[in-house]
């Protein structure tokens, strides 16, 4: 019989235990930041109705990226981001939730796109949102950004520091209005600004769309700074003031690595105001490892109630899988997670040993027994070494007779007899 | 435009925030037991190749239960249990893992079966396994059972106590051998014993298959006890001794709620020796909320290496969703998760307030600001009340001028001025 393949499908990641411990450790740290900031975890289904995931009119286009399938008469698919489920959930529980409502999700999402470096078909995102009914003050934008900044900071020992770049959709809306651009021109200029880094002849490209004079005004924003046009119209003034206010709240919240980068647009998504992206200083090649922004009508497809909010997400797999896979994170602290291996010399000593193991665990000591008791000492001590145990507690007939264990420090090699009363204390010192 | 449905698909569960906190809290407790016992968390893909999930020859039968789909030329589907992925992973990483290897998974599984009470289409299981190469001593069976027992015990305040029922496939194999049953008879007798509780005329049914004399021998096992036949053959003796040994190790490990129930069979799965199931004493109507057993060749479809192991799983959604949905768990401790709501009276006091919020969070206080600063005090204090904050910290012009906050105990209603130096201490006392 042919053996089945042992590798996961392309674009799907599975880690070795010590790598997984790093992945989980960082996720816990980030989630602790969220708990401290009063965010409620939502665990939403991975499968949604197809009509919830997509508008029927663009089924074909979407289908290439999404995992869609049918069960009986019901078309359904796997979630591809956190927003669709969140919108549905919020609309369905308007009366059970208190607004402004803080939510976070840490969940797997699925995209059937061609896998490439840093893009996975199954990937974790940590999505955070604060939502209000009808309106929500700009101060919450600062809080979302500060919270995300603290999430990254909580794992800075692994990923280093981040830089936060902040833009404002309202600024460009006001700018295009000031320049009298029509809808098509606005849309095209928007795309060019979004991709400004990747376009070699940005000014020429803008010229082609809006004409040379207006293109110069746009180009000036990047050379003279966004504040240089603040006094042109009330809306430009308001957009600039909004950014100044935001920056001042971020400062009192201790966020010192944020800067305005007016070219930040955050693609074509549903954002309407402040937008932002996070970059790693040590690993700029990863691109944006998170981002988000302000939106005006989250759940319009599910409810007539207007849900206004600001949200952001950490591209968690993008951030961690890559760095772990490429050995860019020092994982040494995750290699040893066992305090003591209990080595049992002979079947007759199992009860004594398992009583010890139970007692150790009850006292918070991570204890792993080796229970194939007919194996030689050599094999057993090798096991203790391989699993990275800090100590080996050896239980043979002599130890049982004297009500002790022989405790061997696996690093120094020093071995000493220890009574059962003192072993917990010995092992808890790290 | 018609609004889209806000309910999840039938058989998919989503909880309210306070319910989710209970679900997560219990999951953390259980996982802490596993970490203390040195189990390695594996986070395996939710999507596997169809050929990995199923044998092609029974595709049609399986398909009704599984979520299968195709992307390009690749047939794939959603995982329906933890075992398939585990087998593949272990076979693929034989050289990276140290055996006996301890693994656990806490993951969503998917079954497209007709939803009914206590059965979900998307459900969590917590799977734990200890695996060896070629062989693994019986003592590990005791360790798996004791570990599962401790997992349930860690959340006993919510689910009450469990009873563990333990059987042994080897006992019945030896019995059928002793009775000289052929393969078909053995298989049919096995099924009857497995369903003994649900069959009104068990003895008659067995008689029909094996004849009256042999049926009486089988029936005697249940009336006179499994030990009554121990001396009939060597294999029966070995099977009985195995159970005695197991029970004595369980006792030294402090497991007092285990009993032999020789009718426990654990369905038709791949078990070959000790099998066990967990039942809730307070909620017997839930049936088995967990179980597992010994298996002999886990990864035979993926590798020529023989992986012997013992594993078990907690039917986590089955256990918790039902009890939460039916209000059988007291969730009051999960209703209030906010230490303090910071109420901001006027835009000018945002910087002072956000600085305070930042300081509080840095000190481990769960702080939520209310940042729609033009809202009246009445609205703001109502918000503090609704989110279940223990305290409200009121920040108005007077407070800022005097470098204090007015701290209101939301339960007693008592309000007092507190300096910024003492507020952390005040809030940390619970």
């Amino acid at each position: 019989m042919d053996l089945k393949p042992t590798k996961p499908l392309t674009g799907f990641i599975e880690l070795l235990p010590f790598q997984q411990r790093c992945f989980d450790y960082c996720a816990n740290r980030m989630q602790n930041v969220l708990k401290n900031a009063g965010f409620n975890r939502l665990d939403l289904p991975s499968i949604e109705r197809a009509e919830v995931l997509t508008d029927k009119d663009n089924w074909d286009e979407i289908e290439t990226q999404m995992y869609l399938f049918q069960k009986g008469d019901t078309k359904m698919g796997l979630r591809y981001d956190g927003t669709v489920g969140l919108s549905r959930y919020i609309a369905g529980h308007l009366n059970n939730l208190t607004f402004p409502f803080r939510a976070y999700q840490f969940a797997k999402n699925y995209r059937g796109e061609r896998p490439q470096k840093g893009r996975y078909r199954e990937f974790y995102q940590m999505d955070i949102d604060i939502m209000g009914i009808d309106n929500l003050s700009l101060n919450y934008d600062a809080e979302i950004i500060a919270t995300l900044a603290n999430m990254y900071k909580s794992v800075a020992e692994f990923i280093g520091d981040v830089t936060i770049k902040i833009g404002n959709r309202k600024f460009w809306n006001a700018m295009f209005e000031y320049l009298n651009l029509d809808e098509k021109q606005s849309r095209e200029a928007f795309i060019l600004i979004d991709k400004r880094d990747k376009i070699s002849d940005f000014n020429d490209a803008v010229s082609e769309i809006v004409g040379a004079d207006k293109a110069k005004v746009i180009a000036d924003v990047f050379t003279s700074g966004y504040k240089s046009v603040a006094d042109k119209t009330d809306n430009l003034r308001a957009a600039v003031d909004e950014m100044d206010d935001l920056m001042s709240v971020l400062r009192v919240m201790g966020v010192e690595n944020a800067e305005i980068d007016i070219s930040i647009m955050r693609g074509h998504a549903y954002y309407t105001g402040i937008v932002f992206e996070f970059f790693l200083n040590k690993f700029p090649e990863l691109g944006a490892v998170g981002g988000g922004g302000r939106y005006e009508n989250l759940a319009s497809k599910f409810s007539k109630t207007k849900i206004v909010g600001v949200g952001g997400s950490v591209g968690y797999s993008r951030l961690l899988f890559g760095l772990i896979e490429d050995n860019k994170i020092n994982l040494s602290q995750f290699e040893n997670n066992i305090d003591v291996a209990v080595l049992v010399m002979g079947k007759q000593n199992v009860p004594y040993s398992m009583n010890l193991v139970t007692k150790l665990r009850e006292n918070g000591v991570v204890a792993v027994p080796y229970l194939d008791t007919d194996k030689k000492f050599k094999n057993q001590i090798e096991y203790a070494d391989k699993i990275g145990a800090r100590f080996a507690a050896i239980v043979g007939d002599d130890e049982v007779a004297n009500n002790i264990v022989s405790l061997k420090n696996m690093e120094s090699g020093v071995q000493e007899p220890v009574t059962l009363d003192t072993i917990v204390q010995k092992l808890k010192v790290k």
Side-chain angles (χ1 to χ4, degrees), chain A:
Chain A
M1 192 183 71
D2 283 350
L3 294 174
K4 295 180 178 184
T6 60
K7 283 222 186 321
L9 283 159
T10 317
F12 291 77
I13 303 297
E14 52 194 19
L15 300 173
L16 287 170
F18 72 100
Q19 297 171 325
Q20 186 70 48
R21 282 196 282 278
C22 174
F23 198 83
D24 293 347
Y25 179 83
C26 291
N28 274 338
R29 284 252 183 128
M30 286 194 174
Q31 289 180 84
N32 281 337
V33 170
L34 291 170
K35 276 167 200 157
N36 247 3
F39 284 81
N40 299 287
R41 190 170 99 89
L42 301 181
D43 183 9
L44 306 179
S46 303
I47 302 179
E48 295 278 1
R49 290 181 180 84
E51 65 177 313
V52 164
L53 289 172
T54 174
D55 296 318
K56 276 168 194 150
D57 47 7
N58 66 346
W59 177 281
D60 282 347
E61 189 218 328
I62 291 284
E63 196 164 3
T64 59
Q65 285 238 347
M66 275 170 51
Y67 289 98
L68 293 167
F69 40 95
Q70 192 156 347
K71 219 46 192 157
D73 293 335
T74 315
K75 284 186 177 175
M76 56 188 84
L78 296 178
R79 52 184 274 154
Y80 58 87
D81 72 5
T83 306
V84 170
L86 179 68
S87 313
R88 182 185 54 67
Y89 179 92
I90 298 294
H93 292 93
L94 288 171
N95 296 324
N96 306 115
L97 306 174
T98 303
F99 292 88
F101 180 67
R102 296 162 178 257
Y104 87 88
Q105 301 180 68
F106 179 49
K108 288 177 170 181
N109 297 305
Y110 301 86
R111 290 193 198 171
E113 61 190 337
R114 184 177 296 277
Q116 44 179 299
K117 191 78 192 165
R119 308 288 264 181
Y120 307 99
R121 289 183 166 175
E122 176 181 63
F123 57 96
Y124 278 101
Q125 270 190 210
M126 224 176 260
D127 293 297
I128 78 172
D129 290 89
I130 303 177
M131 294 152 282
I133 291 177
D134 293 328
N135 50 58
L136 188 77
S137 94
L138 177 76
N139 298 309
Y140 287 106
D141 300 49
E143 217 206 324
I144 284 284
I145 293 171
T147 302
L148 286 164
N150 282 333
M151 290 165 72
Y152 287 103
K153 198 174 174 184
S154 73
V155 299
E157 61 180 295
F158 306 109
I159 65 169
D161 294 326
V162 297
T163 295
I164 310 163
K165 296 187 176 176
I166 298 172
N168 193 351
R169 291 277 185 99
K170 284 183 193 161
F171 175 88
W172 290 110
N173 290 340
M175 191 70 183
F176 298 161
E177 182 187 64
Y178 164 62
L179 293 176
N180 231 333
L181 304 192
D182 65 26
E183 205 179 305
K184 183 163 174 287
Q185 287 174 318
S186 298
R187 199 169 51 242
E188 289 176 5
F190 179 98
I191 293 170
L192 288 176
I193 294 165
D194 188 31
K195 299 194 171 152
R196 186 163 159 273
D197 284 351
K198 289 160 198 147
I199 299 172
S200 54
D201 46 359
F202 174 73
N203 291 359
D204 288 357
V206 178
S207 266
E208 267 180 45
I209 292 163
V210 303
D213 291 352
K214 292 177 180 178
K216 186 170 180 315
V217 180
I218 290 176
D220 281 352
V221 170
F222 295 103
T223 49
S224 311
Y226 67 96
K227 289 192 183 183
S228 65
V229 293
D231 290 325
K232 301 289 185 191
T233 69
D234 286 353
N235 282 343
L236 276 166
R237 167 53 63 195
V240 168
D241 285 352
E242 198 172 86
M243 288 186 275
D244 287 349
D245 286 352
L246 180 80
M247 291 300 281
S248 79
V249 178
L250 285 178
R251 269 190 297 275
V252 299
M253 294 190 78
V255 178
E256 282 165 5
N257 44 355
E259 58 192 48
I260 298 292
D261 177 344
I262 203 66
S263 72
I264 295 292
M265 285 292 204
R266 217 50 205 143
H268 290 268
Y270 47 94
Y271 298 114
T272 53
I274 294 291
V275 284
F276 47 86
E277 293 187 341
F278 286 74
F279 298 87
L280 299 183
N281 296 350
K282 269 171 72 183
F283 308 106
E285 68 275 17
L286 285 183
V289 293
R294 159 73 57 150
Y295 45 81
E296 288 306 313
N297 202 345
L298 178 71
S300 60
K301 287 175 179 160
F302 300 94
S303 168
K304 286 177 179 162
T305 302
K306 190 175 170 196
I307 306 292
V308 176
V310 52
S313 66
V314 173
Y316 194 77
S317 292
R318 187 183 179 81
L319 177 70
L320 264 292
F321 277 158
L323 296 179
I324 288 174
E325 277 190 316
D326 297 347
N327 288 315
K328 287 180 176 165
I329 291 182
N330 179 357
L331 295 177
S332 58
Q333 73 178 92
F334 300 104
E335 271 156 24
N336 303 354
N337 67 319
I338 308 293
D339 292 323
V340 61
V342 177
L343 310 183
V344 190
M345 303 298 138
K347 188 178 182 348
Q348 68 282 8
N349 299 320
V350 166
Y352 182 93
S353 303
M354 292 314 282
N355 184 270
L356 171 67
V357 164
T358 305
K359 186 186 156 191
L360 290 171
R361 290 178 183 166
E362 279 169 6
N363 284 282
V365 173
V366 180
V368 169
Y370 191 88
L371 291 168
D372 284 317
T373 54
D374 50 344
K375 287 280 166 68
K376 289 178 191 148
F377 177 74
K378 183 177 159 292
N379 297 116
Q380 298 211 23
I381 201 80
E382 197 176 282
Y383 175 78
D385 183 48
K386 275 196 185 170
I387 64 171
R390 291 165 49 237
F391 288 88
I394 303 154
V395 180
D397 294 342
D398 286 354
E399 281 83 1
V400 173
N402 294 306
N403 215 24
I404 57 160
V405 303
S406 296
L407 193 65
K408 188 185 180 80
N409 182 317
M410 295 298 288
E411 202 181 314
S412 68
V414 174
Q415 183 172 322
E416 56 174 347
V418 175
T419 65
L420 298 192
D421 291 336
T422 55
I423 188 169
V424 168
Q425 212 186 329
K426 282 256 175 204
L427 290 172
K428 284 203 125 176
V429 179
K430 304 215 171 172

